[in-house]
Amino acid sequence: MLSTSVGSIFLILNIKREKYMRLDKYLADMGVGSRSDIKKAIRKCKVTVDGEVIREAGFEVPEGAFITYFEEEIRYEKYQYYMLNKPAGVISASEDKRQTTVVDLIRDLEFGGQARKDLFPVGRLDKDTEGLLIITNDGQLAHRLLAPKHHIDKVYYAVVSGEVSEEDREIFKKGIRFDEHLTAMPAGLEILSTGKTVKELADKLQLSVDPERFERVRLSGADFKGAEEAANVNAETLCSEIKVTIQEGKFHQIKKMIRALPGGKDVLYLKRMSMGSIELDESLAPGEYRSLTEEEIQTLKDSCSGEI
């Protein structure tokens, strides 16, 4: 009887405690600064809770409290969701000591111009692949979006050397074997154009570099057959524009699938356009981002509801 009462009291205390959070953790979660910077600000009386100056970093913030940091309101959001137009040259990771990551690009002015420390990309895009990437700290949603059983379509625009044919489309439709051990699930391939030159497409895509950029993108997909070989590409090389729809996300998958087609084709440019029903906001320039709308967040959740 006694143990049951103690257990009940412990549960009640835990439930109560969940409604409180240390002040320094609250501010750190919102990305206003490092823990040491936050503690200095608290000591300098630059933080208030419900209008009262707080001088203790361990002060327990009640749920729904009004917090200011250097006179700026800081609202707590348990989860955050961003749409990023990933630029080429940035890696899909949360942190890296040598290279710029997609999370480094998130500097929300609502949170002191800093990024939360718990953000991460949902899935990954190759370093030289551009386009839609969801950034969040909602681990459960990310796990569900990436679970193969939910069959979330991911649509990519690609420039490919050579002429893509109806035969290639049928091969994708059946599922193409792209290395010794892996066969892709059936995928969609839509031919947008053929017969344009690298120079024409470089101009269309408004690339700030010469067509040699295509060569670097081609070689950036290392670790698969042929990547170590120089692609036979120049300004007059004929290319195709295609749209590829897959439900998987294996390492360099689209580059490998295109490479496995007849005729020695290569991906020269790759951009993700959509994930499920969420489409890249074309008003976002490469490197720009925005918060997802409530409707977009709910759409993502609905697309992967149910058990994993």
Side-chain angles (χ1 to χ4, degrees), residues 182-200:
L182 295 172
T183 298
M185 293 171 58
L189 193 161
E190 179 183 349
I191 302 170
L192 303 177
S193 76
T194 60
K196 293 181 180 178
T197 65
V198 163
K199 180 63 169 64
E200 288 176 304

Side-chain angles (χ1 to χ4, degrees), residues 129-148:
T129 298
E130 302 178 4
L132 175 66
L133 195 60
I134 303 299
I135 309 291
T136 186
N137 61 330
D138 188 340
Q140 184 177 36
L141 177 62
H143 184 49
R144 290 179 179 277
L145 287 171
L146 297 175

